Amino acid sequence: MAESGVLGRLPKWPRNALNNSVIAAEQAYRKRAGLPLLNDADIEALKAGVQMPWETGAAASAPPAPAPAATAAAPDATAQTATAVAEPPPPVATGTISPEVQKQVAAGKKWSKSSIAAEQARRKRNNLPPLNDAEITALLGEPLAPAAVAPAAAPVATAAPVARAAASSPQQAPPSAAASVARTGTSTSYVGTPAVGTSKAAAAGGVPATGPENSEVNQSRRSLAWAMVAAFLTAWFIAFFRFFLPRTLFEPATSFRIGYPSDFGLGVDTKFQQKFRIWVDRTPDRIFVIYARCTHLGCTPDWKPSENKFKCPCHGSGYDNEGINFEGPAPRPMDRAHVEIAPDGQILVDVAKLYQWPKGQPSQFNEGDGSKGAWLRA
């Protein structure tokens, strides 16, 4: 029998092609049980679904005929050959069973190998004596193997056939469960056998792990995916940070300077209509500021120099050159803004304070003393 000629947990021939996960699990089992590992030729045959090389040779060759007793070699040489080829006896569970383990066994519940491994780890952490082979065998519910007794003398004619039978057997007896659970030597980073199909199981079985090829295209895809994830998290972080910032509205100032009184001639000046929504109106004796808002629905009227009036484009309300309504649906004249002379001599306008002439009510257009109020002295 070749060194790799052990079937282990593999199904007998004929069998289907096996994948990497099953082969890795078989390699891990053989490594744990102390059996010969599958070589490259065996792995390729299992993947292809054909017989392994040693299976083909075993099927093609017939077992050798036993040698007669008369032609056997000398007793000393035959005994040495039988001893060297014969398979070693299975391990014997040694040690006594503690009362604690006897209670567990009496309860009738069988333990699994993973449970025993976890118990061994717990005992090691707590500095307790580990479970011996007899206790492990009893917890697994397996019968204790009897101690092997060496025969006093073996006939020469019997030793040779036994040795040849052991050599031609395709399988070896697996070790007991107690021996496979007991942990000796250097500690590993995980407890038990790696799960089938994982990278650890593939590495333990000597089979390369399957996965996407590390090509330039796959690297670009991974970089793009990570960039999208980073952009998504950044956007959410910015939104989260923006939540704590105040919502500030930046509106134009309500108080501003428009120049000196001498800068304005008689009539209506519209140069501040777009910026401040006002008109500066100068008469022979007064200067006042009209707030450019129709009193009907709030539209901005247009100044018509040819007609000398303000005309609202929305609903046709009309106002004269001083903002007094005379046509359309406007209910009252347009408002006037507060004006005064600033310390530097310029006209200071404040649109936050407006003077009105409500319908049927006294007018506020004459409020002021000529230096501040609804009008200025020209």
Side-chain angles (χ1 to χ4, degrees):
M1 181 182 65
E3 183 181 1
S4 60
V6 177
L7 195 60
R9 291 184 176 178
L10 295 174
K12 297 181 179 179
W13 181 260
R15 59 176 170 268
N16 296 328
L18 305 181
N19 54 30
N20 289 340
S21 299
V22 177
I23 297 175
E26 174 63 20
Q27 290 282 58
Y29 163 74
R30 289 168 177 259
K31 184 177 181 181
R32 187 175 64 249
L35 300 177
L37 298 180
L38 296 172
N39 56 33
D40 295 340
D42 294 341
I43 294 176
E44 294 299 330
L46 291 174
K47 289 182 179 180
V50 299
Q51 287 181 315
M52 291 182 284
W54 64 268
E55 290 180 318
T56 305
S61 61
T71 60
D76 294 340
T78 306
Q80 293 177 357
T81 304
T83 305
V85 178
E87 183 181 355
V92 180
T94 59
T96 59
I97 301 178
S98 63
E100 180 183 358
V101 176
Q102 290 180 358
K103 292 181 181 179
Q104 297 288 343
V105 175
K109 181 179 179 181
K110 294 183 179 181
W111 287 36
S112 62
K113 293 184 179 181
S114 59
S115 301
I116 293 177
E119 175 65 17
Q120 292 282 52
R122 184 188 70 83
R123 288 172 174 259
K124 184 177 180 180
R125 287 195 307 269
N126 298 333
N127 296 324
L128 298 176
L131 298 173
N132 54 40
D133 293 348
E135 292 174 335
I136 293 175
T137 304
L139 290 174
L140 290 174
E142 297 180 355
L144 293 176
V149 179
V156 176
T158 306
V162 171
R164 286 194 297 271
S168 61
S169 176
Q171 296 185 2
Q172 295 181 1
S176 65
S180 63
V181 173
R183 298 181 178 275
T184 59
T186 59
S187 60
T188 56
S189 59
Y190 55 87
V191 177
T193 304
V196 177
T198 61
S199 59
K200 288 185 178 181
V207 180
T210 59
E213 182 183 357
N214 192 22
S215 61
E216 184 176 356
V217 175
N218 290 335
Q219 291 179 359
S220 301
R221 290 175 179 174
R222 285 193 290 269
S223 301
L224 178 61
W226 279 113
M228 295 176 64
V229 171
F232 176 78
L233 296 178
T234 303
W236 271 106
F237 176 77
I238 294 175
F240 175 78
F241 181 75
R242 180 66 181 86
F243 175 78
F244 295 97
L245 297 180
R247 301 297 192 268
T248 305
L249 296 178
F250 299 94
E251 297 181 350
T254 59
S255 180
F256 46 87
R257 288 174 170 82
I258 60 175
Y260 298 95
S262 58
D263 295 339
F264 302 97
L266 294 176
V268 178
D269 193 327
T270 61
K271 63 182 177 182
F272 298 107
Q273 177 178 344
Q274 294 296 331
K275 187 175 182 179
F276 298 118
R277 201 180 183 184
I278 61 171
W279 297 301
V280 181
D281 197 344
R282 181 167 186 167
T283 62
D285 60 339
R286 292 185 177 186
I287 296 177
F288 53 89
V289 174
I290 302 174
Y291 190 61
R293 181 177 62 186
C294 180
T295 56
H296 178 220
L297 293 177
C299 299
T300 301
D302 299 323
W303 169 245
K304 304 292 185 180
S306 60
E307 301 178 19
N308 196 28
K309 68 175 182 179
F310 297 99
K311 190 68 174 179
C312 181
C314 296
H315 302 94
S317 298
Y319 305 86
D320 62 13
N321 58 352
E322 294 187 4
I324 308 300
N325 61 308
F326 65 90
E327 64 178 353
R332 57 183 178 84
M334 287 187 288
D335 303 331
R336 296 184 182 181
H338 177 81
V339 291
E340 61 178 275
I341 299 298
D344 59 355
Q346 297 190 54
I347 300 175
L348 182 63
V349 181
D350 188 0
V351 295
K353 184 177 181 180
L354 300 177
Y355 298 92
Q356 301 178 353
W357 189 352
K359 184 178 181 180
Q361 300 294 327
S363 173
Q364 300 175 355
F365 291 167
N366 294 323
E367 293 187 5
D369 56 1
S371 60
K372 65 178 180 179
W375 60 280
L376 297 176
R377 188 175 291 107

